[in-house]
Amino acid sequence: MVREDLILGIETSCDDTGVSIIKTSITRDNPEEINLDILSNKLASQTELHDKYGGVVPELASREHLRSLLPLTKQAFFENNLNPSCLSIISVTTGPGLKGSLLTGLNFAAGLAAALKKPLIPINHLEGHILSAFIESKSHPKRNFPFLTLLISGGHTQIILAKQIGKYELLGETVDDSIGETFDKVSQELGFGYPGGPIIEKLALKGDPAKYPFPKPLLKKQGLNLSFSGLKTAVIREIVKCRTSKERHWKNNIAASLQNTVSILLASKIRDAITLTGTDSLVVSGGVAANNYIRKTLSNLCQGMQVNLRLPPKHLCADNGLMIAWAACLKSLFQEDYCIKELKVRPRWNIATRD
Ligand code: KG4
Ligand code: ZN
């Protein structure tokens, strides 16, 4: 055995409290492979709490994190018959995200690290999402760099060139709303709850994706930036019209047409990004990456361009503590300067800047 670690990962950047414990090891016989044992991956979802407000209420989110962190962590140790003193690393999301939520997680993790005298690794939430695409294969992504990343979540829509662990270049991003926000808002307008993405996906299964030719902002514009606010407004305008029409299944058709338009926009910009960078590998991650229609569209694109597509399993697309613990494992192994001197939350942390 060359090295073995027991890592705790804490995620509280938005509305889900994630706590995970992983055991990782590298053996002398096969130093290229990381043995990953997921001992625990616990999630306390706040969906019901925020649903009635149509979106995440920051003050309520922080309070819920505070309530959930200790019991979840205790349970994770108890179920594995582990003592916290066995930990070798504690990791926590310190940005980007909601300030109060991030602070709750950081204070908890920093307190634990100080009491146990263990190293604390701050993790960028977006890097956690990106590296989560390598959890299933258990292979460390070191060999796979550089690769292109499409990060699609509630807070972000970004096209990133991943150069190595800890080194990222932002190639393009939404100039207004994220895709997750667009789905959430449209779901609310249709009279459904939060989060909207899974609801839109389900409605779209019985809808006609060609029914409404919604606008495709920035499609023909050069560059890798995206925009969704004009699309969102057009969809909402159509919803208002449909409410008084006699058309059946209009909600399904709206959802299917929106999902199709978003997929066309993403595929077009990703095609350009692949050509521009000459990459042979694409990682798609973040909550919206759980969407089957988007997964299929990007998979078809990659097949046609002979690009290897890597997607996290669907249950790891949404926020979770496992991706934070996994990112800490990779950083401690492969990034020499992974320690950040000043420990603080960074609500608007840009992945392209180290801190
Ligand atoms: O990554 P995530 O869990 O949290 C952030 O970091 O933002 O992403 C949450 C977003 C929400 O906007 C939610 O509606 C969307 O991901 N989402 C989906 C699906 N599942 C979650 N969007 C489309 N299709 C889905 N199946
Ligand atoms: Zn996220």
Side-chain angles (χ1 to χ4, degrees):
M1 188 80 66
V2 177
R3 178 169 165 167
E4 189 176 273
D5 284 307
L6 193 67
I7 308 175
L8 174 70
I10 305 274
E11 156 62 39
T12 62
S13 66
C14 190
D15 60 334
D16 286 323
T17 316
V19 174
S20 173
I21 302 176
I22 60 172
K23 191 194 237 174
T24 56
S25 63
I26 297 180
T27 57
R28 214 174 292 279
D29 301 340
N30 191 1
E32 284 293 287
E33 194 170 308
I34 301 173
N35 301 306
L36 168 68
D37 208 354
I38 302 166
L39 302 184
S40 186
N41 187 24
K42 306 215 155 286
L43 198 72
S45 168
Q46 303 179 7
T47 302
E48 259 179 53
L49 176 73
H50 300 288
D51 187 14
K52 51 181 173 285
Y53 302 100
V56 179
V57 183
E59 293 77 11
L60 296 184
S62 323
R63 200 182 62 194
E64 278 307 298
H65 287 309
L66 197 58
R67 270 203 194 129
S68 304
L69 271 170
L70 189 59
L72 275 191
T73 309
K74 272 187 172 168
Q75 213 182 351
F77 281 106
F78 181 75
E79 283 174 5
N80 286 289
N81 213 0
L82 278 173
N83 191 308
S85 62
C86 301
L87 286 174
S88 35
I89 294 171
I90 295 172
S91 56
V92 61
T93 306
T94 54
L98 300 171
K99 191 174 180 189
S101 293
L102 291 166
L103 270 172
T104 311
L106 175 59
N107 287 341
F108 179 80
L112 204 59
L116 297 169
K117 297 193 173 57
K118 304 288 177 186
L120 180 66
I121 303 188
I123 300 291
N124 181 306
H125 179 79
L126 309 180
E127 189 171 23
H129 272 307
I130 294 173
L131 298 176
S132 72
F134 298 88
I135 289 177
E136 252 199 346
S137 67
K138 300 186 182 181
S139 71
H140 56 69
K142 205 178 147 201
R143 270 170 291 153
N144 299 288
F145 283 93
F147 56 84
L148 190 68
T149 291
L150 172 65
L151 186 83
I152 39 181
S153 70
H156 294 82
T157 300
Q158 297 188 330
I159 299 172
I160 296 162
L161 182 64
K163 295 177 169 173
Q164 50 178 275
I165 293 172
K167 255 202 166 162
Y168 302 90
E169 184 185 341
L170 188 59
L171 301 180
E173 65 181 329
T174 177
V175 295
D176 38 57
D177 300 340
S178 72
I179 301 181
E181 261 177 304
T182 308
F183 284 155
D184 293 339
K185 184 72 188 149
V186 169
S187 165
Q188 199 188 351
E189 288 291 326
L190 288 172
F192 297 102
Y194 169 87
I199 295 163
I200 298 287
E201 178 170 17
K202 198 160 164 223
L203 285 170
L205 288 174
K206 291 191 179 143
D208 174 4
K211 175 77 186 176
Y212 299 106
F214 290 133
K216 301 179 186 71
L218 300 189
L219 181 70
K220 298 250 152 65
K221 259 220 145 126
Q222 272 210 332
L224 298 179
N225 280 346
L226 293 134
S227 163
F228 297 98
S229 105
L231 168 61
K232 183 184 72 184
T233 309
V235 174
I236 292 173
R237 216 175 286 138
E238 198 61 51
I239 292 174
V240 174
K241 271 199 237 159
C242 286
R243 278 190 195 127
T244 53
S245 79
K246 293 206 167 57
E247 199 200 312
R248 292 173 71 217
H249 308 303
W250 64 269
K251 291 187 181 183
N252 301 82
N253 292 334
I254 292 256
S257 300
L258 167 65
Q259 196 178 248
N260 185 46
T261 308
V262 165
S263 301
I264 292 171
L265 284 167
L266 287 178
S268 163
K269 291 295 171 181
I270 289 302
R271 186 184 297 113
D272 292 350
I274 290 171
T275 309
L276 180 82
T277 56
T279 189
D280 61 358
S281 179
L282 172 72
V283 162
V284 183
S285 58
V288 183
N291 184 290
N292 275 324
Y293 194 88
I294 294 176
R295 285 168 93 96
K296 187 85 191 106
T297 305
L298 293 170
S299 157
N300 289 343
L301 173 78
C302 286
Q303 230 170 19
M305 295 184 86
Q306 278 152 7
V307 164
N308 172 35
L309 174 66
R310 220 177 251 273
L311 288 153
K314 283 192 213 159
H315 70 281
L316 290 183
C317 286
D319 295 349
N320 61 83
L322 172 56
M323 68 183 193
I324 302 307
W326 174 242
C329 160
L330 296 175
K331 286 172 97 66
S332 72
L333 286 172
F334 305 116
Q335 187 185 336
E336 278 174 17
D337 57 346
Y338 68 86
C339 271
I340 291 174
K341 285 174 200 82
E342 200 189 354
L343 205 57
K344 61 173 187 187
V345 297
R346 297 169 169 82
R348 302 180 68 82
W349 192 354
N350 179 342
I351 193 163
T353 54
R354 247 177 61 77
D355 41 26

